[in-house]
Amino acid sequence: MTLLITNIKELLQVREHNVTIVKGDDMKVLPVLKNAYVLIEHDTIVEYGSMDDFDDIEADEIIDATGKIVLPTWCDSHTHIVYAGDRTQEFVDRINGLSYEDIANRGGGILNSAEKLQNTSEDDLYEQAANRLTQVIKSGTGAIEIKSGYGLTVEAELKMLRVIKRLKKEFPIKVKSTLLAAHAIPKDYKDNKKGFIDLVVNEMIPAVANEHLAEYIDVFCEKGYFDLEDTERVLKAAKEHHLIPKIHVNQFNAFGGVALGVKYNALSVDHLEELNPEDVSVLKDTTTIPVALPSCSYFLSIPYTPGRTIIDAGLPLALASDYNPGSTPSGNMNFVVSTACIKMKLTPEEAINAATINGAYAMGVSNIYGSICRGKKANLILTKDIPNYYYIPYAFGDDLIDKVIINGEIF
Ligand code: NIG
Ligand code: FE
């Protein structure tokens, strides 16, 4: 099966060599080929080029993309899409003046989602998550990381991770799974946080590793949740089971979580709404990528991650959605890219790099996803007729997508 896309107005993120991350000033460059074509064989990009050099290539199916833009699908490296129900009441409570912290302190927040999830069957949970995944693929996501973390018991965490495993099997996009073992202190351990960490270290992590249900380990390293000592215990135990850290740090408070992540060779450190100069310097010359989640900042009305500071320091930056019921009930990466430009002052080039190739890096798949490169997976967004790629972040909230192609097939 071959698919040929011709007359593409702008083909974005074209990489002759398989670049797997872009950092600092290099993020300002988004390679674009105007008036281009792409040839796909089965699920792989095999050729691309300028229409000027186009020699009648034969293909089983041809799409004329006149007036349209083609780019790699978004790589969303941080989501929590397996959850039960919603938290609409907390949304209204916040409008009426409560903070995210107030809600958590009275037993809402993550504990609210955990209670709902514990009382939801695996099949029901799968159906809810599958609907969300279908929706985000339609909005252009072609690789995704999904976390557990609303179980908070060994049994319920395993249930979540089995749902993720099923999503991996049933959906054509790349899915990576993360054990978010320490997301909140469960009610039963309210005054015994150490006991909960013991459970995570001695039972949860080994059980998950035993069933090969996760590749990554995550901890919500935050005041009122898990401190540096707790986080380190979890990361140490996870390391013995070859789970790589991707951690929640600096969402509300900065107290050394970034350095701890770097110490344990975290693939990514995510959130960073609060960022110290030390956090920036400790990330230099490491393999750990900072990840910003601007739609979370938008929804909670908290500061935006200082993306300019990060990029201007020569570091890489990835953008992800954080899709979850409490702080970001949206997985729309187009909105993430727009918000990064509008609120974090990333240029369109930086934001698109951050949401494609660097997003792929932040979930360990940038050798196969995140750019238009010969030999890479044919996961592409074909836009509607739009003036140029600036229009993607500019027309925020608009649905600019004509087709999403996953593994060489229209989704
Ligand atoms: O990334 N910060 C921790 N976890 C999620 C929110 C969890 C929730 O409120 O359900 C986040 O924002
Ligand atoms: Fe998150």
Side-chain angles (χ1 to χ4, degrees):
M1 174 72 194
T2 49
L3 171 65
L4 178 66
I5 311 175
T6 57
N7 299 311
I8 302 165
K9 185 189 261 177
E10 293 176 347
L11 180 61
L12 309 187
Q13 192 60 296
V14 187
R15 302 277 175 174
E16 202 46 39
H17 301 289
N18 195 359
V19 174
T20 53
I21 188 169
V22 282
K23 306 179 182 184
D25 281 347
D26 290 344
M27 287 187 68
K28 291 184 173 49
V29 182
L30 180 71
V32 177
L33 200 58
K34 292 196 175 182
N35 190 28
Y37 72 89
V38 179
L39 179 65
I40 297 163
E41 235 175 73
H42 303 294
D43 61 351
T44 305
I45 298 165
V46 291
E47 195 51 89
Y48 63 82
S50 163
M51 288 301 289
D52 297 339
D53 308 323
F54 183 79
D55 299 314
D56 261 337
I57 300 172
E58 306 237 324
D60 299 321
E61 195 182 340
I62 297 175
I63 297 175
D64 181 353
T66 300
K68 298 172 179 184
I69 286 175
V70 170
L71 67 156
T73 47
W74 308 122
C75 297
D76 190 353
S77 67
H78 180 140
T79 81
H80 312 242
I81 64 164
V82 177
Y83 60 83
D86 61 72
R87 305 233 295 270
T88 46
Q89 183 58 51
E90 294 178 7
F91 169 62
V92 176
D93 291 344
R94 271 202 315 281
I95 294 170
N96 286 320
L98 290 183
S99 70
Y100 185 80
E101 198 182 1
D102 296 333
I103 291 166
N105 287 342
R106 60 170 203 189
I110 295 166
L111 296 185
N112 177 357
S113 286
E115 193 178 325
K116 287 196 173 87
L117 187 135
Q118 287 162 8
N119 296 318
T120 302
S121 73
E122 194 169 313
D123 282 343
D124 186 359
L125 202 53
Y126 173 80
E127 288 308 323
Q128 295 187 40
N131 284 338
R132 291 177 199 119
L133 189 55
T134 304
Q135 192 52 46
V136 298
I137 297 171
K138 285 184 181 163
S139 59
T141 295
I144 195 167
E145 180 258 16
I146 310 173
K147 301 172 193 298
S148 67
Y150 292 119
L152 305 183
T153 65
V154 177
E155 186 197 358
E157 285 294 302
L158 288 174
K159 177 166 75 178
M160 288 189 79
L161 290 164
R162 288 186 192 123
V163 166
I164 301 174
K165 187 177 177 178
R166 201 163 143 201
L167 295 169
K168 274 188 201 194
K169 238 193 357 234
E170 302 293 331
F171 280 80
I173 72 164
K174 188 72 181 172
V175 176
K176 288 285 201 170
S177 83
T178 300
L179 168 61
L180 173 43
H183 196 193
I185 303 154
K187 276 196 191 99
D188 294 351
Y189 291 86
K190 194 167 170 281
D191 301 309
N192 180 19
K193 189 176 57 159
K194 186 184 165 294
F196 181 61
I197 300 290
D198 288 342
L199 178 81
V200 167
V201 164
N202 299 326
E203 293 183 41
M204 209 179 270
I205 290 174
V208 169
N210 192 34
E211 280 194 51
H212 302 288
L213 285 172
E215 291 132 291
Y216 301 115
I217 183 80
D218 195 348
V219 178
F220 188 16
C221 181
E222 183 57 59
K223 281 192 185 155
Y225 295 82
F226 301 97
D227 60 23
L228 292 177
E229 198 186 319
D230 305 325
T231 304
E232 182 150 22
R233 276 193 70 202
V234 175
L235 297 190
K236 217 179 231 165
K239 193 175 172 185
E240 283 167 24
H241 292 278
H242 312 289
L243 296 172
I244 298 160
K246 276 175 65 65
I247 57 175
H248 282 75
V249 287
N250 294 36
Q251 183 175 5
F252 302 103
N253 297 282
F255 52 85
V258 175
L260 184 62
V262 167
K263 180 178 165 192
Y264 281 84
N265 292 316
L267 177 58
S268 70
V269 283
D270 303 29
H271 272 289
L272 312 173
E273 289 87 343
E274 300 298 327
L275 198 68
N276 291 330
E278 306 86 77
D279 297 322
V280 174
S281 40
V282 83
L283 281 165
K284 286 186 182 159
D285 303 315
T286 72
T287 53
T288 304
I289 189 167
V291 179
L293 311 164
S295 37
C296 173
S297 298
Y298 174 82
F299 189 73
L300 292 185
S301 302
I302 61 174
Y304 286 86
T305 302
R308 275 266 55 88
T309 308
I310 292 171
I311 295 173
D312 294 345
L315 294 172
L317 181 71
L319 290 168
S321 73
D322 199 16
Y323 194 173
N324 75 74
S327 73
T328 327
S330 160
N332 189 313
M333 286 294 288
N334 304 268
F335 180 78
V336 170
V337 168
S338 277
T339 308
C341 292
I342 297 162
K343 296 292 186 183
M344 296 165 61
K345 302 291 176 218
L346 265 60
T347 64
E349 293 80 10
E350 288 170 329
I352 293 171
N353 274 317
T356 55
I357 191 66
N358 282 1
Y361 178 90
M363 52 194 287
V365 299
S366 63
N367 55 337
I368 315 170
Y369 296 86
S371 63
I372 308 287
C373 184
R374 295 179 191 93
K376 276 192 152 178
K377 277 276 187 265
N379 282 15
L380 309 171
I381 294 171
L382 177 66
T383 69
K384 293 175 180 161
D385 193 333
I386 59 174
N388 54 56
Y389 70 82
Y390 291 173
Y391 202 79
I392 295 171
Y394 165 85
F396 78 93
D398 270 12
D399 174 14
L400 302 175
I401 295 181
D402 176 21
K403 289 180 179 57
V404 176
I405 295 167
I406 302 292
N407 295 337
E409 288 180 26
I410 295 165
F411 184 77

